Amino acid sequence: MEPAALQELLIAHLPAVAGVESVVAWPARPYGLQVTLKEAGSVYWMISGASGVAPAAAEGERMAPQPQPELGGGKVATAQVEQALLTALAAADTDGQIVRADRYSTRPTPPTVGYGITVDASDTWRLFVACVGTARRGEELRASRHFQPDSDV
């Protein structure tokens, strides 16, 4: 699964997650996404990847079903939007193409990016969805805020 395919999958399936208002391609970054929430702001993501680096899947291994994130009631934690990405991927992966996925914010030592996911596909692509930034409702992502996402939107 190449970055473009993951972007298309998220654009098609992430709006089905309760609390997501819209998901559109964000042209400011390669394979960018703008996820806008119904009662909160927007979270911006960038997808990249590498072919042939994901470990091979074990017999029958595939991504587990994912819980629904809490995206309602005013401010929403950026980590919950991160969870929404996994929820949409698990629901959309009807052919077992996604083997495993890992949230950055739940790691014992999160990477510098802070929020994002790593996705391993059955074709040995490893994809990275990194949070580029956040914006409050009605605001645009300021250039000075790239890679400095707020903990909530």
Side-chain angles (χ1 to χ4, degrees):
M1 173 181 286
E2 296 177 2
L6 181 58
Q7 180 190 38
E8 291 172 12
L9 187 138
L10 289 169
I11 289 171
H13 295 279
L14 194 52
V17 175
V20 174
E21 182 176 298
S22 67
V23 181
V24 296
W26 178 51
R29 291 285 186 260
Y31 308 109
L33 289 175
Q34 178 183 353
V35 178
T36 302
L37 305 172
K38 289 180 180 174
E39 298 180 23
S42 296
V43 182
Y44 297 82
W45 306 89
M46 178 180 75
I47 302 170
S48 59
S51 176
V53 297
E59 179 86 22
E61 182 181 12
R62 82 183 277 192
M63 191 170 127
Q66 295 293 310
Q68 288 290 322
E70 297 177 25
L71 300 179
K75 282 189 176 182
V76 172
T78 304
Q80 290 298 305
V81 183
E82 177 189 64
Q83 177 61 45
L85 299 174
L86 290 184
T87 301
L89 286 177
D93 187 36
T94 57
D95 59 358
Q97 196 173 14
I98 299 174
V99 177
R100 63 190 77 83
D102 168 42
R103 289 177 56 191
Y104 298 172
S105 69
T106 60
R107 291 179 180 175
T109 306
T112 303
V113 173
Y115 302 99
I117 59 174
T118 297
V119 178
D120 288 345
S122 60
D123 60 2
T124 71
W125 268 87
R126 177 165 276 176
L127 300 153
F128 308 96
V129 184
C131 183
V132 177
T134 55
R136 302 275 180 229
R137 189 142 191 95
E139 296 179 356
E140 294 292 323
L141 175 64
R142 297 186 316 259
S144 64
R145 295 282 297 150
H146 285 212
F147 293 103
Q148 298 176 349
D150 292 320
S151 61
D152 55 47
V153 291

